[in-house]
Every structure is written in C-alpha cells, then in structure tokens.
Amino acid sequence: MKKFAVIGGGITGVTTAYALAKRGYGVTVIERHRYAAMETSFANGGQLSASNAETWTHPSTLLKGLKWMLRQDAPLLVNPKPSWHKISWFAEFIASIPRYEPNTIETARLAIAARDHLFAWAQAEGIDFDHRREGILHIYRDRKGFEHAGRVSRLLAAGGLQRRAVTSQEMRAIEPTLAGDYYGGYYTESDSTGDIHKFTQGLAAACARMGVTFLYGQDVQSLNCGGRSASVNLDDGTGSRIESFDAVVVCAGVGSRALAAQLGDRINVYPVKGYSITVNLLDDASRAAAPTVSLLDDETKLVTSRLGADRFRVAGTAEFNGFNRDIRADRIQPLVDWVQQCFPGVSTRQVVPWAGLRPMMPDMMPRVGRGQRANVFYNTGHGHLGWTLSAATADLLGELVSQGARPAGDRLAITAKPSPVEAL
Ligand SMILES: Cc1cc2nc3c(=O)[nH]c(=O)nc-3n(C[C@H](O)[C@H](O)[C@H](O)COP(=O)(O)OP(=O)(O)OC[C@H]3O[C@@H](n4cnc5c(N)ncnc54)[C@H](O)[C@@H]3O)c2cc1C
C-alpha cells in the first residue's frame, strides 16, 4: 500500500485524506494545530454556493477596489506597504482578467460536482454539520448591481447552475425577516449552507475510523521529495524528527506557497483576510427575527448562514495585509451594523468575532494536480470558495492519483508542463 502524507488538516486536507483512504491508500494527515479545522476552515461564511462562483477577476473589481481604498469600513482593504508577494499576486490577478468568463464557468461546474460528493460523504458517515438546504438569495440595492448579476447568471448557467431573478416582493416571500429596500435579487434554490468546522471534524473522525493517522500539533518544517520517496521534517515543539512516505499532498492553505517553494513549485497563494461574526441567538424573538435562507449582499460583499436554531453567521471583507491574523474592531463593527440594519429584531448582545486567511490564487482557481516531482501533489488555493469546492477537488485528486487521470482542464493543473502521468 502506498503511503501518503497530507499536509494540513483543514477542509482541503481532510477531504483529500478521505478521498485517498477510500481508494485504499495509507494516509497520514499532519497538522500543526491540536485539532482539525482550526484555521481558515473554522468559522467561515458557511455557504455551499455555486451561485458565488463568479471569479473576482472582473475589470469592475479594480474600479470598486480603488474606490473602496478610501473608506475604512469598505469590504476591501489593502495595506499599501509593498511586498514582492503582494505585487506579483496583483500583477497575476490583472493578467487573469481575460479568463474571467471561462474561470467562472469552470468554478460553477466544480461547485455543482462538489455537492454530490459532500452530501454523500456526510450521509455515509453520519455527519451532522447543521446543513440547511433552503437556497441562497443574492440581494441588490440598485439596478446596476442587479443587471451585472443577470450577466453572471448566464455564465453560471453555462456551468450548469440555474438561478432565477426575483422581485423585491418575491424576496420578501423567500426571506420574510429581511428588512430594507431592494431593487431585486437572484435566488438559487439548489445552494445550501453548513458549518465547515463541524463537517471537517466529523469527516476527520470518519477518516480515523478508516485507518487514517492524524499527527496533530506537528509543524512541517521542511520537505524533501525525490520522486519515489518523501521525507517530512516535523517539529512538535519539543524537537524535530523525520517521517518517510511514498508521496505528499500539500493542502496547507496559506502555508502552501512556502512548502511548494521547497519542492520546486510555484503556488502563488496570498493570504486574503476575512472576518466573521457568529451571533448567538439567545432568545425566541431573536431566533424568529434571524433569516433561515442564506443571503449574499453584493454591495457590502457579506454572506450569511443560519447554523442550527441558535447561531447566525455573517462573514465577508477582503484585507490584503500579509499573514496578519488580528481581529480588528473597526472591521468587525460593519458586520454588526449590517445585522442591526437588515435584521433589527435580532439581539447582537452576544457576538463572537473571528478572522481567517483565505488561501487565494491570483486567478481564483484552486490548484489540483501534480508538482514537478512525480510524488508531489497539491490540492490547495481555494480562496473564497474552499468549503464549496473541496469535495470535488479532493475527488479529482483521488482520481489523478489512482487513475493517472488529469483534472478537468488545464486551469487546474499546477504546472505548465505536468510531469508524465502515471497512477501511484
Ligand atoms: C471570512 C471568510 C468567509 C468564508 N466564507 C466561505 C463560504 O461561505 N463558502 C466557501 O466555500 N468558502 C468560504 N471561505 C473560504 C474557505 O473557508 C477556505 O477556502 C477554506 O477554509 C480553506 O481550507 P484549507 O484547507 O485550504 O485551509 P485551512 O483551513 O487553513 O487548512 C490548512 C491547514 O494547514 C495547516 N498547515 C499549514 N502549514 C502547515 C505546516 N507547515 N505544518 C503543519 N500544518 C500546516 C494549518 O494549520 C491549517 O489547519 C471563507 C473564508 C473566510 C476567511
């Protein structure tokens, strides 16, 4: 049996471990935290959203970005201090603008494929993750935003997703708790929401039942892969040691870039910080006043999920500020204000703030495939859609490893010239 080291115990690492274990491989997940899903896969927006497949590489993002840079409470914040990482990332972002349409279509396809795997795995393993299948409603305050959404809908339809335009009256019927005046919306009935942390924990437990080893509290300091064997240098805080495997899969979120560089690959993931608040719904009035349908407010770029009866999650904002994980009060306040405006009956007495770093590729497409060396693989760079896409990319990786099958489309390949394809 071939032995794989999967580096990272977030959603991408644990789904990858599951996809490989199901195919009969020996798998060890190495994670620096004490538990699975403690970094970006901890308290995200919760949306399993094919309807949010639009990549950000649209020319209008640049204009909006420049406008937003002047506002402290804007959805986007860029620390102007230059770094090579940031400059190279933005240069590649701009270079990817011509691929906005095909990448959006491809992402929609992947997101739809991911649903089948994720739902089947949750059912097979009995994972409760507060899954709610009430659709996602995109809301627009003006005609311009609504008309852009119409154009996006055509791209999503090319990827296989149906969503329908709804009037402001229909919006109220879909989610009666939403206050405010809206121009219109788009409703995607087939989208859903759930708690990424609970799911990842549940799938990690299922992996362990299948024989996957989890090495928690172990930091991967360095990697050495010769094509047929891989040695991983681990540090548990008391000292380092080397473990040997046949192959490695890098699923290290924002840590993937540094690990890839050691392996001769370039994965230009930038840590794009986002924030969430979890509003604890402490009383009956708040529970009744909070939405059950998931929302995406296109103007403020905020997304919401109702997690069980008692929790309401609101997430968003994009901050380009390196590996800074600080939870800034001035970035959290707009989220609380938004809840008070849109859901005035919800008490915001108990709000739990959080910040996470999205592992974002400049073209917004995850990297799934082989590295330069034949026994190095990647399933990383899922950016703002890791929860939505991971089950599909993990399955693609499993197919690549076991069948030698290439992931669909060159856009997902991580090297310009993939190494000869052979099953492991
Ligand atoms: C505010 C916010 C809202 C979001 N909302 C949504 C949403 O609604 N829907 C959606 O689909 N996506 C959403 N996302 C994106 C999604 O959460 C991420 O894409 C996803 O969690 C990334 O998973 P990952 O496994 O790549 O990274 P992580 O969850 O960060 O996992 C990587 C793991 O690798 C470990 N690691 C890294 N380096 C090493 C090392 N050297 N040694 C040992 N371990 C290492 C880390 O400790 C970490 O646990 C959101 C993100 C944010 C920040």
Side-chain angles (χ1 to χ4, degrees):
M1 188 211 281
K2 295 279 180 187
K3 277 171 51 191
F4 277 79
V6 171
I7 300 172
I11 186 70
T12 57
V14 173
T15 50
T16 299
Y18 188 75
L20 291 174
K22 275 208 318 180
R23 287 169 173 85
Y25 294 101
V27 183
T28 299
V29 176
I30 305 168
E31 167 54 56
R32 62 159 73 106
H33 290 285
R34 281 183 75 183
Y35 313 99
M38 296 305 287
E39 282 209 6
T40 316
S41 307
F42 185 74
N44 76 357
Q47 290 192 328
L48 293 160
S49 48
S51 60
N52 195 17
E54 183 192 12
T55 59
W56 300 357
T57 50
H58 189 272
S60 66
T61 313
L62 295 178
L63 295 174
K64 275 188 213 157
L66 290 173
K67 220 168 57 188
W68 282 335
M69 276 177 83
L70 305 170
R71 266 179 43 200
Q72 269 303 305
D73 64 344
L76 177 78
L77 192 77
V78 181
N79 181 339
K81 198 172 153 206
S83 72
W84 170 243
H85 190 184
K86 207 189 298 170
I87 292 167
S88 70
W89 192 93
F90 276 114
E92 285 177 53
F93 178 92
I94 292 166
S96 308
I97 288 177
R99 295 208 58 82
Y100 159 80
E101 288 197 1
N103 285 351
T104 296
I105 295 169
E106 184 68 27
T107 306
R109 273 200 200 107
L110 263 183
I112 293 168
R115 290 171 178 166
D116 293 342
H117 299 296
L118 189 103
F119 301 166
W121 298 349
Q123 194 180 25
E125 307 299 343
I127 303 169
D128 170 15
F129 63 108
D130 292 329
H131 193 204
R132 192 179 283 274
R133 300 178 83 157
E134 291 189 34
I136 294 181
L137 177 64
H138 288 227
I139 62 177
Y140 300 91
R141 291 184 175 75
D142 59 27
R143 184 178 170 161
K144 201 170 159 214
F146 181 77
E147 285 179 350
H148 177 74
R151 291 188 288 275
V152 173
S153 279
R154 285 194 281 282
L155 297 179
L156 299 178
L161 184 77
Q162 296 310 317
R163 67 171 189 172
R164 64 184 163 94
V166 286
T167 62
S168 55
Q169 289 82 1
E170 286 170 309
M171 285 169 64
R172 297 216 188 291
I174 292 166
E175 184 42 73
T177 62
L178 176 65
D181 292 327
Y182 299 94
Y183 183 84
Y186 272 88
Y187 183 50
T188 312
E189 225 150 350
S190 56
D191 272 340
S192 62
T193 55
D195 185 327
I196 185 172
H197 179 76
K198 274 191 172 182
F199 178 87
T200 313
Q201 285 277 321
L203 197 67
C207 286
R209 290 194 294 273
M210 291 161 75
V212 172
T213 303
F214 283 85
L215 300 179
Y216 288 120
Q218 313 271 340
D219 197 88
V220 175
Q221 305 272 293
S222 61
L223 289 166
N224 205 339
C225 294
R228 298 215 163 264
S229 67
S231 50
V232 181
N233 185 353
L234 298 171
D235 189 342
D236 64 1
T238 61
S240 62
R241 68 176 198 285
I242 293 188
E243 295 251 351
S244 297
F245 300 90
D246 296 309
V248 296
V249 190
V250 177
C251 302
V254 294
S256 298
R257 181 174 181 261
L259 293 173
Q262 292 183 24
L263 297 165
D265 294 313
R266 186 161 182 276
I267 304 281
N268 200 13
V269 162
Y270 192 89
V272 181
K273 185 156 66 163
Y275 294 87
S276 77
I277 55 170
T278 305
V279 183
N280 286 326
L281 305 170
L282 302 170
D283 47 64
D284 285 344
S286 291
R287 285 189 280 274
T292 58
V293 169
S294 174
L295 302 172
L296 191 153
D297 182 344
D298 215 50
E299 190 182 309
T300 57
K301 300 286 175 211
L302 294 183
V303 304
T304 77
S305 293
R306 180 72 174 264
L307 301 171
D310 302 333
R311 290 183 300 152
F312 177 43
R313 172 85 42 84
V314 179
T317 72
E319 197 173 300
F320 289 78
N321 194 15
F323 284 84
N324 178 303
R325 290 178 166 84
D326 296 350
I327 301 179
R328 284 175 47 171
D330 63 339
R331 305 294 290 160
I332 291 293
Q333 194 56 45
L335 276 62
V336 179
D337 294 345
W338 185 89
V339 173
Q340 285 165 358
Q341 266 166 29
C342 296
F343 303 98
V346 171
S347 162
T348 48
R349 197 153 58 87
Q350 204 180 84
V351 162
V352 184
W354 173 81
L357 301 176
R358 302 178 185 90
M360 193 79 92
M361 294 299 297
D363 63 355
M364 311 273 131
M365 302 302 286
R367 291 303 185 264
V368 189
R370 248 181 236 263
Q372 302 284 351
R373 297 171 197 171
N375 63 340
V376 173
F377 297 86
Y378 295 89
N379 180 18
T380 193
H382 294 60
H384 67 307
L385 284 179
W387 178 215
T388 302
L389 303 178
S390 288
T393 61
D395 191 69
L396 280 173
L397 203 274
E399 285 303 290
L400 172 72
V401 167
S402 61
Q403 310 288 335
R406 285 224 173 89
D410 289 336
R411 284 180 298 288
L412 295 180
I414 66 124
T415 51
K417 283 190 195 151
S419 44
V421 171
E422 74 182 53
L424 276 190

